[in-house]
Amino acid sequence: MFTPLHQSPLFTRQHEVYEGLGMRAWSEGIVPWRATTCPLLADVEAELIAAFAEDVGEPVTVIDVGAGTGRLGFHLVPKLEARGLKATVVLADIAPSNGRALSEQPQLAALAATGRLTFEVLDALHPTPRRGATVLLAHYLFDSLPHRAFRVTSSGEVLEGLVDVTQTPWAWRYEATNPRAELEGRGAGTFLVPVGAAQALAAWRSTFEGPLLALAADKGVTPRGPLEDPLLAQHESVSAGVDFTALARLADGWVHSSPASASDVFALHAFTTTAAPQLMKCWRERGGRNQVLHLLERFNELLAATPDAEALLGFLETTHDDPDLLAQLSPHLRELTLDDRQAGRLVSLLARAGERHFHFKQQLDVPFSLGITAHGLGALQLAIAWYGRSLAESGAHPSTLLNLALAQKTLGRVDDACAALEVLLEAEPEHPRAKALLDEWSSA
Ligand SMILES: C[S@@+](CC[C@H](N)C(=O)[O-])C[C@H]1O[C@@H](n2cnc3c(N)ncnc32)[C@H](O)[C@@H]1O
């Protein structure tokens, strides 16, 4: 059955898909999360929020709409505090299963216990009324809300894209429709219009009483030729690049600030309902510079390049202590012979990352990776601390226990080392290295 894209099950069933996936959406790498929840973005946004709070002269509530893992909120709370801002951060999501997982995550629960963070089930398109200055964070949210598909023909006629998802691959059909103001001036092509994002902005403006700032971090559109069908990313749920130019035309009553340079990969956009000179100044100086995109580009270059200590360390020192990026670049760092100064810089990074590590089950065991890097540098206490976190978060893996035992033994903590080996042998009684070491150490 052919349906206009925004009314198709791809979008109308999106919340059920997220509810069904729960945290698996991120822990199994189905939906990307690193860019939109990174400490650098939290830092940029904290600065923008502080500027906005100065403009409006009242306390602000920050709502992360579609909060996913909650990792952004975890980074944001201390960054707001560091700027002396008394703001409550609300982690809001349409999927109750996410809400439950967020409130049970120990680091978020600890922040909630101090009153700095709360949790809410919220539909971005039908929010509950609220008063006071509010900042809405929409990170990979607008790409997940309904999009309509239009085709402009070479003669300027506008057609609407209808999709039949019961066919594999999906079948598309195009039917004549009225001209659309948000597409005016466009040449021939196929376009996705973020009608859901426009509906969300309209709902926020009419439901929330008080000055609003919305910060949207999302991917942009990949241009499509006139005869190509629209491009949707499929990751059990679907998402579409956000046409912020079309969105700005649809967003009545909002002032749109776009980034200094356009990108179809990732960009931060700001929408405000009030005059905000401090915010605008901060936008020019920082928010609009798309630092997260540059970070990602540099990260990908470094992953692909021959390891270079100065380049890797210099980069990591700009990430605001992002443990995930550090863990991913750690194998490269472990290949290098570092001089004493470089080793000292890496140990500082490994130590500082401890405070910034947010735990949710994911494919990469970040604490283990950081533990073996610290171990290789001879920073044994630090290695032991990271191994301990790996055991707590990911369970008693033999390689973690073995490395823990080796670090403890080097520090002369023979009893602790033997105890770690015994735990390992309970799980894997025939582990040859553990058996040999336990024999050797317990008879010494
Ligand atoms: C692609 S994920 C992004 C998660 C997180 N913001 C991030 O950047 O990692 C989209 C999130 O939005 C939520 N979501 C989808 N539709 C929503 C709606 N109408 N209102 C609120 N949340 C919604 C989903 O449950 C999911 O957690």
Side-chain angles (χ1 to χ4, degrees):
M1 200 180 55
F2 283 93
T3 343
L5 177 63
H6 64 301
Q7 290 164 349
S8 78
L10 296 177
F11 285 113
T12 56
R13 299 200 47 232
Q14 187 90 314
H15 62 286
E16 290 167 34
V17 175
Y18 274 104
E19 176 63 16
L21 283 172
M23 283 293 138
R24 234 168 35 81
W26 300 279
S27 63
E28 294 183 7
I30 298 169
V31 178
W33 52 271
R34 281 206 168 81
T36 45
T37 62
C38 71
L40 172 63
L41 184 56
D43 194 71
V44 170
E45 292 189 329
E47 203 161 315
L48 292 167
I49 294 167
F52 179 70
E54 221 180 294
D55 282 321
V56 298
E58 55 176 302
V60 293
T61 303
V62 181
I63 311 180
D64 185 4
V65 187
T69 58
R71 182 176 180 250
L72 194 266
F74 169 75
H75 292 312
L76 189 61
V77 169
K79 292 200 180 278
L80 292 172
E81 260 177 16
R83 288 170 171 83
L85 213 66
K86 288 222 176 315
T88 311
V89 175
V90 182
L91 299 184
D93 204 286
I94 196 167
S97 63
N98 284 351
R100 275 192 303 278
L102 294 176
S103 59
E104 285 164 10
Q105 201 282 353
Q107 292 161 300
L108 298 178
L111 289 175
T114 64
R116 292 175 288 176
L117 193 77
T118 60
F119 310 99
E120 204 172 290
V121 174
L122 173 128
D123 180 352
L125 302 177
H126 305 283
T128 31
R130 160 184 303 276
R131 281 165 193 270
T134 307
V135 177
L136 299 128
L137 305 179
H139 292 186
Y140 285 156
L141 173 75
F142 288 171
D143 65 349
S144 306
L145 296 179
H147 280 67
R148 272 177 96 161
F150 294 102
R151 176 167 285 176
V152 178
T153 66
S154 46
S155 59
E157 193 190 359
V158 180
L159 311 175
E160 170 142 29
L162 288 78
V163 66
D164 179 356
V165 294
T166 62
Q167 300 189 45
T168 313
W170 306 330
W172 290 89
R173 197 166 84 191
Y174 295 85
E175 288 179 357
T177 189
N178 297 328
R180 310 272 312 179
E182 69 273 24
L183 295 179
E184 232 164 66
R186 303 243 171 140
T190 304
F191 306 100
L192 286 171
V193 173
V195 289
Q199 191 188 333
L201 287 174
W204 298 346
R205 197 166 152 257
S206 64
T207 317
F208 298 152
E209 237 177 82
L212 305 180
L213 162 66
L215 295 172
D218 231 310
K219 59 189 176 195
V221 275
T222 312
R224 301 297 275 167
L227 296 177
E228 284 179 287
D229 292 324
L231 189 65
L232 293 163
Q234 271 182 280
H235 24 68
E236 300 199 25
S237 54
V238 291
S239 63
V242 182
D243 187 335
F244 278 97
T245 310
L247 179 58
R249 289 190 186 177
L250 290 170
D252 271 349
W254 292 87
V255 176
H256 173 222
S257 302
S258 48
S261 56
S263 161
D264 56 355
V265 177
F266 185 89
L268 182 65
H269 289 253
F271 294 83
T272 39
T273 59
T274 186
Q278 291 305 325
L279 174 74
M280 289 305 139
K281 182 165 173 281
C282 184
W283 183 259
R284 283 190 299 277
E285 288 168 2
R286 188 135 196 243
R289 298 205 163 177
N290 222 348
Q291 291 177 318
V292 175
L293 175 70
H294 301 314
L295 184 90
L296 293 178
E297 288 172 343
R298 183 80 185 117
F299 173 69
N300 288 330
E301 271 169 30
L302 289 169
L303 266 188
T306 312
D308 169 301
E310 281 305 316
L312 290 170
L313 292 169
F315 167 76
L316 286 166
E317 284 161 352
T318 66
T319 66
H320 286 255
D321 305 327
D322 188 329
D324 288 88
L325 297 184
L326 181 54
Q328 287 186 80
L329 290 175
S330 274
H332 283 52
L333 284 159
R334 291 197 292 268
E335 281 176 32
L336 295 164
T337 309
L338 305 179
D339 64 30
D340 286 352
R341 243 192 80 256
Q342 291 167 335
R345 285 164 69 192
L346 181 51
V347 169
S348 303
L349 283 163
L350 289 161
R352 289 203 307 270
E355 270 181 48
R356 299 268 48 85
H357 170 59
F358 177 70
H359 171 53
F360 70 99
K361 244 186 187 329
Q362 54 162 299
Q363 285 150 324
L364 177 66
D365 183 346
V366 171
F368 178 70
S369 171
L370 300 187
I372 48 175
T373 304
H375 202 156
L377 293 167
L380 298 176
Q381 298 286 10
L382 191 54
I384 288 171
W386 278 117
Y387 292 143
R389 287 182 81 165
S390 166
L391 293 171
E393 292 174 9
S394 304
H397 285 293
S399 41
T400 316
L401 287 161
L402 183 64
N403 280 291
L404 173 66
L406 289 167
Q408 287 168 327
K409 171 70 170 53
T410 312
L411 285 176
R413 291 164 48 184
V414 183
D415 289 348
D416 292 339
C418 289
L421 291 178
E422 278 160 9
V423 177
L424 193 171
L425 288 166
E426 269 171 37
E428 244 185 74
E430 297 309 318
H431 194 288
R433 181 106 197 268
K435 274 167 77 174
L437 287 174
L438 188 60
D439 281 350
E440 184 191 326
W441 295 348
S442 45
S443 60

